[in-house]
Amino acid sequence: MCGIVGYVGKEEAAPFLLDGLSKLEYRGYDSAGIATIDGTKLVVEKCVGRLAALKEKIDGHVPKGTIGIGHTRWATHGRPADNNAHPHTDGAGRFAVVHNGIIENYLPLKEGLLKKGHEFKSETDSEVVVHLLADVYDGDFEAAVHRVLTMIEGSYSLVFLSKDHPDRLICAKKDNPLVIGLGNGENFIASDIPAIISRTRRTYILNDGEIAVVHRDGVDVCNFAGERIDKKVFEVNWNAEAAEKGGYEHFMLKEIHEQPKAVRDTMSQRIAKDGKSVVFNELKWDKDFLDSIDKISIVACGTAYHAGLVGKTYIEKLVRIPVEIDVASEFRYKDPIIDDKTLTVVVSQSGETSDTLAALKEAKRRGAKTVAITNVVGSSIAREADRVIYTWAGPEIAVASTKAYTTQLVAFFMLALYMAEIEGTQPSERIAELIAALQKLPDDVSRTFEDMEPIKTFATKYGFNEDAFFIGRSLDYNVAMEGSLKLKEISYIHAEAYAAGELKHGTLALIVKGVPVIALATQKSVYEKTLGNIKEVKARDAVVIGIAAADDTELAKYVDHVIKVPATDELLIPILAVIPLQLLAYYAAVTRGCDVDKPRNLAKSVTVE
Ligand code: M6R
């Protein structure tokens, strides 16, 4: 996730900018840069790699000036490279801009600017902002920024620096965090509190739709309509470590709560303006291409494999193409039956998992067409695959994968809709209905958190049990598998996921009085059957926690506790139903005193076979 810093005051800006960016390093990044105003000159220094590389680059000629901005970039549009690093400048070197988020309409804006003669130096969506600013500027910096904000669509936190106005920074926020640190004769801007906490604890937290003009002696805040806003000072009382986690106790909990935004970002730019179709500019497949494929093979590990299981259902239900799925470590050695009529989809959050990368190479060696679903731009898997669908979840720091999983499901869902439309396997009304449900999803994810207190209570109560079972049918079974992995991984409780209908073929022997069973019953098509299986475990005195849709009126009669998630299309409900399971694992691990973010024996990126 990108990091932003800004400084205006009486001291040299660069030392603060570099120090502030170093406090954001934990968030992950691939390039860094700063810009200051030295007298009448705008000075920009940036490069790919770690901050250490930037410091080395500017050693002996650190940019001077008492006003400046800085940025660490986590690549989305455009690979990690010097020219894609922020700050971006206009052609005349009058303005510099740093940006977090996604400018959704950057392509048409860029085309218009190119026609007017603007020359672009990067492949990023962000650069369009600074050219727009230069384009509309007529001497009034604030007015030009306001004008730019009416032209861009998407999510952003932005900080603008102007050589003609060396006494102020202007920043704006929409769907990305931005905070202003209030000092004495100096003020700070940052995307996150850790960057400024060593200099001040007095802050303004900007809300969506707010713009701030930051001088060394004052800060003026208004809304996008230009109306003045009186901000209340927020005193930060977190320590530096808590600040890195945004006030959450662990990265995992923070990342679980980032899912509404992660889901929204993954959908961003991939739904047509009329809301009726999915757009994948990164694929550009047509009917001929899809007709040349007679099966799809999904390959992944761990949580990404569980996402693939859901993806298989999405594709088979909506596109009616047969889908095989393998864990990558097995695929490599099974002499897979794939050829040039196979489309291999590999899934990997990190894009570096050794088994998945090897499987991808094996699929290519056998002639398969390939596409990667990954979260890391420029990763080995992204570079190796023919095509890439990025999940824009932002960096995931906790070993346990959470927002990566939900965004992988979103990517698969959109891929299935995209293919269904090309193949004509679903009526356009059904596609529009599913897209409407998808557009509602980020809000549904937010609402899911509203009623999660019972999960905490349940986890605290049963956290010391040594076994737990997860059951469900159809997509609920796939989600059960992910819930079970999460619990094992971070709480070290032995957990098993079972297809609910399969219990009686062996596992039911383990269900005795007091054993916790988490039963998912969100799938209407198999609801009655699942209820029957829940009665089987209840009859053996298991303690059952049921996960159901908000409109469910039955389940409560048969289980000990019910957790409701917002009702939506049954294909999308896994993205909501997994959230209580992530929280269950989290709170169980906390109850047991486990190292939640770094569970024993595990690594975030598994780069060995
Ligand atoms: O980076 P990848 O998605 O390729 O990683 C795959 C698995 O190692 C990963 O999902 C693992 O299972 C997680 N720790 C589960 O939370």
Side-chain angles (χ1 to χ4, degrees):
M1 195 87 80
C2 306
I4 282 181
V5 289
Y7 176 84
V8 51
K10 46 196 180 226
E11 295 177 5
E12 286 297 301
F16 165 74
L17 298 176
L18 293 168
D19 181 63
L21 290 178
S22 75
K23 301 286 171 18
L24 303 178
E25 281 194 297
Y26 70 95
R27 297 161 58 84
Y29 66 103
D30 49 58
S31 52
I34 59 172
T36 62
I37 296 175
D38 179 4
T40 55
K41 237 173 73 214
L42 180 65
V43 188
V44 180
E45 292 286 357
K46 56 185 187 175
C47 67
V48 73
R50 313 292 296 171
L51 264 177
L54 178 66
K55 286 183 186 158
E56 198 176 312
K57 185 172 178 226
I58 61 178
D59 192 24
H61 60 97
V62 176
K64 294 201 178 327
T66 55
I67 183 167
I69 56 179
H71 192 267
T72 43
R73 174 175 188 255
W74 162 269
T76 55
H77 294 70
R79 74 215 138 79
D82 287 355
N83 62 321
N84 289 333
H86 299 216
H88 292 292
T89 51
D90 63 308
R94 179 179 256 161
F95 301 105
V97 168
V98 287
H99 167 230
N100 286 358
I102 296 168
I103 306 299
E104 293 180 358
N105 60 337
Y106 84 101
L107 276 176
L109 290 173
K110 186 170 177 176
E111 276 160 26
L113 288 161
L114 284 169
K115 280 190 195 133
K116 288 180 165 180
H118 288 261
E119 283 176 21
F120 282 75
K121 297 181 277 279
S122 78
E123 303 150 284
T124 66
D125 54 330
S126 310
E127 192 185 351
V128 83
V129 177
V130 74
H131 289 281
L132 275 182
L133 183 68
D135 201 61
V136 300
Y137 179 68
D138 62 2
D140 185 336
F141 188 20
E142 279 90 330
V145 169
H146 274 270
R147 175 109 177 77
V148 167
L149 298 179
T150 63
M151 300 164 87
I152 56 176
E153 290 166 16
S155 64
Y156 46 81
S157 43
L158 287 160
V159 188
F160 300 87
L161 175 68
S162 161
K163 155 168 106 72
D164 298 349
H165 303 84
D167 61 339
R168 74 197 73 171
L169 295 170
I170 304 184
C171 57
K173 164 178 161 49
K174 181 170 170 267
D175 293 332
N176 274 266
L178 206 54
V179 52
I180 296 170
L182 306 168
N184 283 329
E186 57 182 359
N187 286 309
F188 311 87
I189 298 176
S191 53
D192 302 88
I193 285 169
I196 55 172
I197 206 170
S198 64
R199 302 292 291 263
T200 182
R201 288 178 173 267
R202 300 181 69 241
T203 65
Y204 288 156
I205 309 282
L206 285 198
N207 293 319
D208 281 347
E210 291 182 348
I211 302 178
V213 181
V214 183
H215 295 268
R216 54 183 274 191
D217 292 316
V219 179
D220 297 313
V221 183
C222 65
N223 62 20
F224 283 9
E227 294 155 345
R228 197 187 147 75
I229 293 171
D230 280 325
K231 296 292 289 182
K232 286 212 166 49
V233 173
F234 174 72
E235 290 274 353
V236 178
N237 52 16
W238 306 327
N239 61 26
E241 199 199 338
E244 280 190 358
K245 294 169 189 151
Y248 289 100
E249 209 178 323
H250 297 96
F251 281 112
M252 181 182 177
L253 192 60
K254 175 170 179 272
E255 286 159 8
I256 289 172
H257 281 89
E258 281 171 353
Q259 288 177 113
K261 174 169 159 44
V263 162
R264 179 173 283 120
D265 285 351
T266 301
M267 289 158 47
S268 152
Q269 294 179 71
R270 289 174 172 153
I271 296 177
K273 277 251 163 340
D274 64 5
K276 294 203 171 116
S277 57
V278 167
V279 186
F280 268 121
N281 287 324
E282 54 273 70
L283 299 181
K284 291 210 167 73
W285 290 342
D286 55 17
K287 186 144 174 51
D288 285 345
F289 176 79
L290 290 186
D291 286 350
S292 72
I293 288 163
D294 61 13
K295 79 167 179 197
I296 292 177
S297 141
I298 298 175
V299 190
C301 302
T303 286
Y305 170 77
H306 293 156
L309 290 169
V310 177
K312 171 179 157 74
T313 301
Y314 288 167
I315 295 170
E316 288 186 338
K317 272 202 195 305
L318 295 174
V319 197
R320 308 305 296 159
I321 295 182
V323 182
E324 290 172 359
I325 175 158
D326 291 280
V327 288
S329 52
E330 289 296 312
F331 177 88
R332 295 171 64 177
Y333 303 110
K334 75 168 201 178
D335 191 10
I337 306 174
I338 55 172
D339 56 23
D340 60 352
K341 293 199 191 64
T342 309
L343 172 68
T344 296
V345 184
V346 293
V347 193
S348 172
Q349 186 284 129
S350 62
E352 299 297 344
T353 300
S354 151
D355 283 322
T356 312
L357 180 60
L360 170 61
K361 289 182 177 163
E362 179 63 18
K364 280 179 77 174
R365 197 181 67 76
R366 290 170 187 253
K369 291 142 181 128
T370 59
V371 59
I373 296 177
T374 183
N375 196 34
V376 181
V377 175
S379 56
S380 305
I381 285 173
R383 280 183 275 122
E384 188 70 33
D386 301 339
R387 295 276 183 271
V388 186
I389 297 173
Y390 287 112
T391 52
W392 290 322
E396 205 180 50
I397 293 168
V399 165
S401 207
T402 52
K403 60 180 180 170
Y405 173 79
T406 39
T407 55
Q408 284 159 359
L409 262 51
V410 170
F412 266 120
F413 187 73
M414 299 190 89
L415 180 65
L417 286 175
Y418 175 73
M419 293 168 76
E421 206 185 341
I422 295 173
E423 288 288 42
T425 46
Q426 296 296 319
S428 51
E429 302 76 51
R430 175 69 177 141
I431 295 205
E433 177 184 288
L434 288 172
I435 291 177
L438 186 64
Q439 285 175 311
K440 216 168 72 33
L441 194 66
D443 291 337
D444 289 340
V445 176
S446 296
R447 283 195 295 128
T448 304
F449 290 103
E450 284 168 13
D451 201 16
M452 287 298 124
E453 207 48 37
I455 274 289
K456 194 172 172 181
T457 315
F458 186 82
T460 315
K461 193 161 168 195
Y462 295 98
F464 289 103
N465 252 73
E466 284 314 314
D467 302 286
F469 293 85
F470 292 74
I471 61 170
R473 286 172 177 254
S474 177
L475 286 172
D476 280 338
Y477 171 43
N478 301 152
V479 177
M481 291 169 81
E482 174 57 10
S484 159
L485 174 64
K486 219 86 303 174
L487 189 67
K488 282 186 267 221
E489 182 177 23
I490 59 165
S491 75
Y492 318 145
I493 294 172
H494 165 240
E496 281 193 43
Y498 246 78
E502 188 66 10
L503 275 182
K504 54 189 168 298
H505 299 289
T507 310
L508 203 53
L510 296 174
I511 306 294
V512 292
K513 188 173 166 55
V515 167
V517 175
I518 296 86
L520 290 107
T522 72
Q523 297 294 302
K524 301 265 184 284
S525 50
V526 286
Y527 187 77
E528 291 304 325
K529 301 282 171 204
T530 307
L531 267 192
N533 301 131
I534 289 172
K535 288 178 195 163
E536 283 167 6
V537 294
K538 234 5 255 170
R540 271 105 192 144
D541 287 330
V543 178
V544 182
I545 184 159
I547 312 286
D551 54 3
D552 186 293
T553 51
E554 276 297 287
L555 194 61
K557 297 177 198 158
Y558 305 101
V559 300
D560 299 281
H561 313 268
V562 183
I563 304 292
K564 299 260 183 90
V565 297
T568 182
D569 193 279
E570 96 177 9
L571 290 176
L572 284 173
I573 218 162
I575 296 167
L576 309 177
V578 75
I579 290 170
L581 308 191
Q582 295 169 342
L583 289 169
L584 178 72
Y586 172 78
Y587 288 118
V590 170
T591 302
R592 292 164 73 96
C594 299
D595 188 350
V596 174
D597 286 333
K598 293 195 184 101
R600 69 185 179 208
N601 307 339
L602 299 175
K604 182 66 188 160
S605 188
V606 186
T607 52
V608 291
E609 192 181 339

